[in-house]
Amino acid sequence: MIVSTTPSLEGYEIKEYLGVVTGETIIGANLFKDFFASITDIVGGRSGAYERVLREAKTTAMTEMQMQANAFGGNAIVGIDLDYETIRDGMLMVTASGTAVKIVKKEKDI
C-alpha cells in the first residue's frame, strides 16, 4: 500500500475516495526506561529507549490505519497526518489519520 502525506501521488490517478481512516495507539514507558532516560537527560544525548518506544507506537498506528484502508478496499492513503499527545506522565498517544483511496497508475503519453 502506498502511503503519503501529500494529497496526490506522482504518476497515479485517484479513482475513488473511500473515506477517512485512522490508527491509534497509547503507550507507556516503564520505570526502567524512565530511569535511564532521566540519566541521559542529565548527562546529555538522545534517549534511545524513548525513541524506540515512539517508533514502535508510530508503526503500530500506521499499520492499524493501513489495515482499515485495506478493509475499505483502498490501495493507498493520502494526506496522512501524525499526532503525538501526552495523556499523563509516562503515557503517550500516537494517532495516524489520512484518506483511503483507490489509485491507478497513469498511462504514459507516447
Side-chain angles (χ1 to χ4, degrees):
M1 177 169 297
I2 297 174
V3 294
S4 177
T5 58
T6 62
S8 61
L9 299 168
E10 184 76 29
Y12 292 89
E13 181 181 350
I14 296 175
K15 287 292 190 181
E16 187 176 355
Y17 290 86
L18 303 170
V20 173
V21 289
T22 61
E24 301 87 13
T25 187
I26 296 175
I27 56 168
N30 68 31
L31 179 63
F32 295 113
K33 286 181 186 173
D34 288 345
F35 175 72
F36 289 116
S38 65
I39 291 173
T40 301
D41 290 342
I42 291 169
V43 298
R46 295 170 59 171
S47 176
Y50 277 124
E51 289 175 358
R52 280 189 294 281
V53 169
L54 279 173
R55 275 194 299 276
E56 180 182 330
K58 182 190 85 163
T59 299
T60 300
M62 292 285 289
T63 299
E64 189 176 298
M65 180 181 61
Q66 289 177 52
M67 289 179 1
Q68 189 178 37
N70 190 48
F72 283 8
N75 59 353
I77 304 171
V78 295
I80 291 175
D81 180 50
L82 291 169
D83 290 313
Y84 298 85
E85 179 88 25
T86 302
I87 297 175
R88 64 172 201 241
D89 289 342
M91 299 292 288
L92 181 75
M93 179 172 69
V94 179
T95 304
S97 60
T99 302
V101 295
K102 285 187 183 180
I103 58 171
V104 294
K105 192 126 177 105
K106 287 182 181 176
E107 294 182 26
K108 292 184 179 185
D109 294 328
I110 298 178

